[in-house]
Amino acid sequence: MKYKLAVSFFFCSSLLHAGEHFSKFDDFTGETNKGFVTTEREAEYNRAIYLISNYEKSRNTVSLIVKPLSGATSCNKKYLLLKDSAGVIHKLDANEKGFDTCIVLSVDADLVKKPFKVRIPMHSGADLDIEIDTTTLDLSRL
């Protein structure tokens, strides 16, 4: 349920917050949605927006959602690549929502504690590389 709420919140208010944590109470469900969203400047530079949410302390995982501002993703290949701050490349299982969003439900939270890069396969055959700045990310606020 939290996953659906975070995704719907993400799509309805893509660039409301500038690289900050957000916390929004949903009157309909009574739940509070929390996450970390890209800045407008990052979105323009990367041509994509991202959302990090759903921190599970016991498993030390988060969800990562990436949406290009134009063009269709090809995450139906079932993966995307994440290059961590040490330069190590990780192949992550991904799902595609519609034709424009890649979703990774369970990412090791240690990988997102420092800035990292993500490569998203696109339907055009090209790859979209984005840089995600998590220098202000506080997992306890997710």
Side-chain angles (χ1 to χ4, degrees):
M1 185 67 167
K2 283 184 181 181
Y3 166 72
K4 288 181 183 177
L5 293 173
V7 170
S8 63
F9 179 75
F10 178 64
F11 293 121
C12 295
S13 57
S14 302
L15 298 173
L16 283 181
H17 296 75
E20 297 178 344
H21 291 270
F22 68 86
S23 179
K24 182 177 181 200
F25 181 73
D26 186 326
D27 292 333
F28 185 75
T29 64
E31 294 185 9
T32 300
N33 299 315
K34 297 178 182 180
F36 186 78
V37 179
T38 188
T39 64
E40 283 188 55
R41 189 168 150 194
E42 283 177 312
E44 289 172 9
Y45 174 77
N46 288 321
R47 299 177 320 275
I49 54 178
Y50 64 83
L51 171 72
I52 299 172
S53 64
N54 299 331
Y55 176 56
E56 291 196 29
K57 190 174 183 177
S58 62
R59 294 175 44 205
N60 195 37
T61 61
V62 294
S63 296
L64 173 65
I65 302 169
V66 184
K67 178 180 180 179
L69 294 177
S70 64
T73 67
S74 185
C75 281
N76 58 356
K77 291 182 180 178
K78 302 296 182 199
Y79 71 91
L80 61 83
L81 300 176
L82 182 146
K83 185 183 226 180
D84 66 22
S85 59
V88 178
I89 296 174
H90 305 268
K91 188 174 180 178
L92 304 176
D93 293 332
N95 295 317
E96 184 177 48
K97 172 128 176 105
F99 289 109
D100 63 354
T101 306
C102 285
I103 301 168
V104 182
L105 295 176
S106 182
V107 178
D108 183 350
D110 293 334
L111 294 177
V112 302
K113 286 182 181 177
K114 295 181 181 176
F116 61 96
K117 296 180 182 182
V118 174
R119 174 167 285 171
I120 306 166
M122 302 293 283
H123 279 294
S124 65
D127 293 321
L128 177 62
D129 293 338
I130 71 166
E131 296 176 20
I132 299 180
D133 184 359
T134 56
T135 52
T136 60
L137 175 65
D138 179 0
L139 293 175
S140 67
R141 294 181 60 193
L142 300 180

